[in-house]
Amino acid sequence: MDRRSLTNLLLPVLLLMSSGVAASECDARNPIRNPILRTFNVRTYGAKGDGKTNDTAAIKAAITAAGIGTGNTVLFPEGDYLYDQELTVNGIFLRGESGARLLSDSINGYVRMIGRGGSVSDLSFGLPVSINGKLIPLNLIIVEASNSSVVRNRFSLGFDPLVRHYCIYVQHAVTVLISDNVIGGPGGLLLKDTNNCTVTGNRIFGSQLVTSITFHDIGVVSDNGTNNSITNNTIICTTDGKIPTAGVIVENKDAGTTVSGNTIQQFTAGLVVQTSSNCRLLRNTIESGLSQFTRGVIDLEASGNVVADQNTISQASNDGIRSESMTGALTISRNKLRNCGVFLGQPASASVIYNDSPSAVNIRIEGNEYTGETSGLNYFIECLQPSPPAVISGNSTNTLLRNRIGP
C-alpha cells in the first residue's frame, strides 16, 4: 500500500483525533433513529390456537423473543389461545388479528403490563367454559406501565362470577390510554393511584354481583387519582334495583378528575363522587333505574370544588342531584332533569336537587330545569344553606314544586 492510499484510509481517524472527539462520543450524539421493529407470531413459537391446547409456554416464548422495551409486536392470528399463567408485557405490543381470543378460567391467567410503553390491542378475552362454580382472574389486564395503552379489546365474561374483578385494572401509572374497548361482564375498569390517565370511547355492559359493599363498581372507578379523564363512554347495567350499583365512581381523595360526555343507563346511582376534590362532571346523559338504595342519580358526598354542569338526568328513584357534607365549593348549573322521586311505593320525600352544606361552603345552584313527575317529590330545590350566602338563581320547572332554602 502506497503512502497516498494509507493517508486516505487514516484521514477520518486523524480528523476525529485532532478535534478531540472520540468515536464513541460521536456515536452517542447520533443514535440510530427509527430502528426496524419486528413482529413475533405466537404460532411460530408453537401456539396452536385451537381452544384445546394450553398455549401458555408458546405465548411466553414469543414475548421473551420480542425483548424488553423494544417496541416489538407479539401477534396472535385468528384462533382461541388457552393460557393459565401471568403474561408479563414490558415495553412491547400484544396485538390480535381478527378472531384472536385469549381464554383462561384460571385465577392466575391475566396480562400484566410493566415498565414503560407498550400496548394490548385488538384481542378478545373470554372464558373457555361456563364460569359457574369456578374462580376466574381477579383482573384480566393489570396495567402498571406508564405511557402505555389498552385499546380495541373485547371482554366477554358472562354475568355470574364467584369473585369480584375488573376487566382492566390500572395502578400506580401515568398517562395511560384506555380506549374503544368493549367490556361485557360484571367488572369494568379501575384507575387506582393514577395520574393523567384517559378512559374514552369504551362500551361497558354488565349486571350486578351479589355483594355486601356499598356500591358494586360495574363501570369506571377513579380511586385516589390525579387529573384523570373519563369521557364519551357508554356504560349500561342490567339491574333490577335490588343491588347497589354505580356507573362512574370518583373516590378516596381523587383530585382533578373530569367526567364528561358519558352515557350511563340503568344503575341505581349514575355518578358518585366521595371524599374527592376539583372534579368536573360535564354533559353526561344519565338514565337511572328504580331502586331503594340510591340517594341521588348524581351523588356527591364529603367533597369540595365540584362542578356539575349541563348534565341530562332522567328516571331518578329519589333525588336527581344530591350533595351532602361538602367540604368546598359546589356549582350545580344548567342541568336538565326529568322524572325524579319515582321509586315505586315510596311516599313523597325526595327533591330534584338537594344540598345540606354548611354556610362556610360556597354554593351555586343556577339555571337548572325540571320537568315530569311530582308525586314522589317534596321540593324542586332543597338547600339547607340560606341564600345568601348560597347563590340560587335562574332555575325553572313547569310543575308546581316549591323550593326550600335555608334550615
Side-chain angles (χ1 to χ4, degrees):
M1 180 181 296
D2 59 26
R3 179 176 297 178
R4 178 176 294 180
S5 299
L6 181 61
T7 301
N8 290 337
L9 181 65
L10 296 176
L11 181 60
V13 178
L14 294 173
L15 289 173
L16 283 175
M17 292 177 64
S18 64
S19 66
V21 179
S24 60
E25 292 176 324
C26 204
D27 292 340
R29 294 181 185 183
N30 297 280
I32 297 175
R33 298 183 184 276
N34 300 319
I36 298 175
L37 301 178
R38 301 175 61 192
T39 296
F40 296 80
N41 191 319
V42 295
R43 295 291 184 95
T44 303
Y45 294 85
K48 301 297 183 182
D50 58 10
K52 300 177 182 179
T53 305
N54 188 330
D55 288 324
T56 303
I59 296 170
K60 284 190 168 185
I63 291 172
T64 299
I68 295 175
T70 59
N72 289 328
T73 295
V74 172
L75 179 67
F76 293 80
E78 179 182 1
D80 291 341
Y81 300 88
L82 301 183
Y83 72 108
D84 58 7
Q85 297 176 28
E86 176 186 300
L87 305 177
T88 304
V89 177
N90 190 339
I92 62 173
F93 295 77
L94 295 191
R95 180 171 63 84
E97 293 182 341
S98 178
R101 296 201 303 165
L102 287 175
L103 306 178
S104 181
D105 59 1
S106 168
I107 198 169
N108 298 311
Y110 55 89
V111 175
R112 181 171 174 238
M113 301 176 67
I114 63 174
R116 189 176 183 86
S119 76
V120 178
S121 66
D122 302 297
L123 283 162
S124 291
F125 291 82
L127 298 152
V129 295
S130 169
I131 54 180
N132 290 327
K134 284 178 173 279
L135 292 175
I136 65 172
L138 289 174
N139 308 289
L140 292 182
I141 299 180
I142 299 174
V143 183
E144 298 170 343
S146 294
N147 298 97
S148 61
S149 63
V150 179
V151 298
R152 299 185 305 277
N153 300 287
R154 299 181 66 90
F155 301 83
S156 302
L157 301 178
F159 301 114
D160 300 299
L162 298 182
V163 295
R164 180 167 168 254
H165 73 283
Y166 297 94
C167 290
I168 304 173
Y169 187 122
V170 186
Q171 61 180 355
H172 310 298
V174 175
T175 318
V176 176
L177 174 64
I178 309 295
S179 174
D180 299 297
N181 300 282
V182 177
I183 298 175
L189 191 158
L190 173 62
L191 305 177
K192 175 68 173 175
D193 303 324
T194 62
N195 187 3
N196 289 318
C197 293
T198 299
V199 178
T200 186
N202 301 283
R203 297 178 63 83
I204 301 174
F205 306 88
S207 67
Q208 72 275 4
L209 290 171
V210 177
T211 175
S212 60
I213 63 173
T214 304
F215 287 105
H216 174 57
D217 313 331
I218 293 173
V220 181
V221 181
S222 184
D223 182 336
N224 194 35
T226 305
N227 298 328
N228 293 317
S229 176
I230 302 168
T231 64
N232 301 319
N233 303 282
T234 298
I235 308 170
I236 300 174
C237 176
T238 304
T239 180
D240 55 12
K242 295 182 180 179
I243 300 295
T245 57
V248 176
I249 298 178
V250 179
E251 64 181 355
N252 253 352
K253 298 182 179 180
D254 195 277
T257 288
T258 296
V259 183
S260 69
N262 301 284
T263 298
I264 303 170
Q265 297 178 350
Q266 301 305 313
F267 288 87
T268 58
L271 205 166
V272 177
V273 178
Q274 297 177 333
T275 59
S276 296
S277 62
N278 299 312
C279 299
R280 301 292 180 265
L281 318 176
L282 312 173
R283 298 180 299 279
N284 300 286
T285 300
I286 307 173
E287 179 180 342
S288 180
L290 300 179
S291 169
Q292 71 268 37
F293 296 105
T294 184
R295 297 165 296 177
V297 172
I298 292 182
D299 198 290
L300 313 174
E301 182 178 349
S303 298
N305 300 319
V306 176
V307 174
D309 182 68
Q310 299 185 70
N311 300 286
T312 301
I313 297 171
S314 60
Q315 290 299 109
S317 298
N318 293 305
D319 302 332
I321 301 176
R322 185 178 182 91
S323 53
E324 296 183 278
S325 305
M326 300 300 284
T327 59
L330 170 66
T331 298
I332 300 173
S333 60
R334 299 184 294 176
N335 301 285
K336 294 184 177 181
L337 302 100
R338 181 174 63 88
N339 292 341
C340 295
V342 294
F343 178 66
L344 298 178
Q346 176 176 288
S349 62
S351 299
V352 177
I353 298 174
Y354 174 87
N355 173 264
D356 73 349
S357 299
S359 58
V361 174
N362 182 10
I363 302 297
R364 304 185 72 92
I365 303 175
E366 301 179 293
N368 301 283
E369 301 177 12
Y370 178 71
T371 59
E373 294 290 332
T374 61
S375 59
L377 295 170
N378 278 336
Y379 304 103
F380 174 21
I381 297 173
E382 184 176 7
C383 179
L384 302 189
Q385 181 182 124
S387 177
V391 176
I392 300 175
S393 66
N395 303 287
S396 63
T397 176
N398 65 353
T399 72
L400 297 177
L401 287 170
R402 57 181 177 165
N403 295 335
R404 177 190 175 190
I405 310 301

